[in-house]
DNA sequence: CGTATTTGACCCGCGC
DNA sequence: GCGCGGGTCAAATACG
């Protein structure tokens, strides 16, 4: 994981320091993400080809090695499982209905719907394979029910973030910050006169929540891209919740997977 | 065997 | 009109 993160970060930083000629360079992105996935594993040849070329013992060894590699990879990305990630992030249960690679983003994007039938809230989550503490979440809609997992005091974690992150170019829209699962923000009036559903822009424990209905983009003139370029996500990133943080804010530690706890 | 996840097809809006 | 990118769906696959 550490090696992956280092590789990924250096590559990403370099990409920002030496931007390609074209602003939209999907090839560099795809290579970055595929590198993150396959950096320690050359693509195995098709099984049929392997059968023709290798002796049975070699073939068996190859299969065994590949299975081990797959097992390793699975363990490494175990944090991606739905329940763990979702409990940690906002206390709601979500059903995943899709995932995609995103242009200009080194992160894969996953799509979720709230499992509560009457609640039509959706969210999409972009999480770095290389560094699972870097998360971009975008909510659409407001929950019609409280979190089934977190206590009220835990929900009160809605700490107003700094409205401006030096060097990142990021600021909260309207200076209003609301946890979307707490209550609608002041900008969510939907009366046709105010800006609808904005103001969820902040960094919190490396989680970046975008304004609703706004896609994150990673160009350097954008919040996240600039933050990456400035190294903020790498250096100033909080580690994910440590135990004292959880205790202080009444979070239930047993819903947080151990590998997401802060490690020094 | 039921559920969760992956994956490619399909759709749609938008810009050229 | 066409291509592209993002969102959704559902079949295939993985998994316990």
């Amino acid at each position: 994981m550490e090696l992956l993160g280092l590789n990924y970060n250096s590559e990403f930083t370099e990409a920002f320091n030496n931007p390609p000629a074209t602003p939209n360079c999907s090839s560099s992105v795809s290579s970055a993400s595929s590198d993150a996935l396959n950096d320690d594993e050359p693509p195995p040849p098709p099984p049929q080809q392997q059968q023709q070329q290798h002796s049975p013992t070699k073939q068996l060894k190859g299969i065994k090695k590949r299975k081990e590699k797959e097992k390793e990879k699975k363990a490494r990305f175990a944090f991606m499982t739905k329940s763990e990630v979702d409990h940690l992030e906002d206390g709601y249960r979500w059903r995943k209905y899709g995932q995609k690679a995103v242009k200009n983003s080194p992160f894969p994007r996953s799509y979720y719907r709230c499992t509560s039938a009457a609640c039509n809230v959706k969210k999409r989550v972009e999480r770095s394979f290389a560094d699972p503490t870097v998360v971009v979440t975008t909510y659409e809609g407001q929950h019609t029910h409280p979190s089934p997992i977190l206590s009220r005091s835990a929900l009160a974690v809605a700490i107003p973030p700094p409205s401006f992150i030096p060097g990142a170019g990021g600021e909260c829209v309207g200076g209003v910050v609301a946890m979307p699962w707490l209550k609608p923000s002041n900008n969510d009036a939907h009366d046709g006169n105010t800006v609808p559903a904005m103001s969820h822009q902040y960094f919190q424990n490396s989680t970046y929540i975008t304004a609703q209905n706004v896609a994150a983009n990673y160009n350097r003139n954008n919040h996240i891209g600039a933050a990456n370029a400035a190294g903020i996500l790498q250096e100033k990133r909080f580690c994910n919740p440590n135990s004292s943080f959880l205790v202080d804010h009444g979070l239930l530690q047993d819903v947080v997977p151990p590998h997401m706890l802060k490690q020094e």
Side-chain angles (χ1 to χ4, degrees):
Chain A
M1 183 69 80
E2 281 307 312
L3 275 178
L4 267 177
L6 285 175
N7 288 342
Y8 163 77
N9 284 334
S10 59
E11 184 176 356
F12 199 34
T13 308
E14 192 180 342
F16 270 100
N17 290 338
N18 307 295
T22 52
N24 292 337
C25 184
S26 56
S27 65
S28 74
V29 167
S30 63
S31 75
S33 49
S34 60
D35 282 355
L37 278 173
N38 298 320
D39 62 343
D40 59 347
E41 180 179 16
Q48 290 168 346
Q49 193 183 355
Q50 201 178 31
Q51 265 183 357
Q52 289 167 356
Q53 285 180 350
H54 299 306
S55 71
T57 38
K58 255 194 173 176
Q59 184 188 342
L60 278 175
K61 272 188 179 178
I63 291 175
K64 195 178 176 188
K65 196 172 183 183
R66 209 183 319 144
K67 282 197 170 178
E68 279 175 4
K69 286 285 184 185
E70 283 171 6
K71 205 173 176 182
E72 278 178 27
K73 187 187 284 184
K74 193 180 159 190
R76 195 186 308 145
F77 295 145
F79 66 87
M80 291 291 283
T81 58
K82 189 166 68 70
S83 57
E84 288 180 355
V85 169
D86 296 341
H87 287 193
L88 177 68
E89 285 177 351
D90 55 23
Y92 282 95
R93 307 264 342 178
W94 302 88
R95 181 168 48 85
K96 188 174 180 179
Y97 66 92
Q99 70 179 41
K100 261 193 179 281
V102 187
K103 195 169 188 249
N104 283 334
S105 167
F107 308 153
R109 175 181 294 174
S110 298
Y111 298 89
Y112 298 90
R113 251 189 274 270
C114 183
T115 53
S116 175
C119 183
N120 198 30
V121 173
K122 288 185 284 188
K123 74 172 180 178
R124 54 175 190 260
V125 177
E126 297 170 34
R127 185 182 304 272
S128 165
F129 277 125
D131 185 346
T133 65
V134 177
V135 184
V136 178
T137 305
T138 299
Y139 288 88
E140 287 185 20
Q142 303 286 353
H143 287 289
T144 57
H145 53 99
S147 161
I149 294 166
L150 298 184
S151 66
R152 185 70 202 172
S153 59
L155 287 171
V157 171
I159 303 166
S163 63
F164 176 72
I165 297 167
E171 52 192 329
C172 295
V173 177
V176 176
V177 183
M179 298 293 259
W181 48 89
L182 267 183
K183 60 182 180 180
S185 73
N186 292 336
N187 289 342
D188 284 344
H190 298 301
D191 58 5
N193 295 322
T194 58
V195 180
M198 296 293 285
S199 85
H200 298 318
Q201 297 188 349
Y202 58 92
F203 288 91
Q204 193 225 6
N205 295 329
S206 298
T207 298
Y208 182 91
I209 298 183
T210 67
Q212 291 176 12
N213 306 311
V214 173
N217 84 63
Y218 298 89
N219 296 327
R220 60 190 311 149
N221 63 349
N222 184 269
H223 304 81
I224 304 173
N228 274 305
I232 285 179
L233 286 186
Q234 294 172 32
E235 297 168 12
K236 291 199 174 179
R237 172 180 67 234
F238 297 158
C239 291
N240 261 301
N242 58 34
S243 51
S244 60
F245 175 90
L246 297 171
V247 170
D248 288 348
H249 295 98
L251 281 160
L252 302 174
Q253 288 193 54
D254 60 358
V255 304
V256 181
H259 61 275
M260 295 299 277
L261 294 177
K262 182 177 182 179
Q263 291 171 7
E264 293 295 345

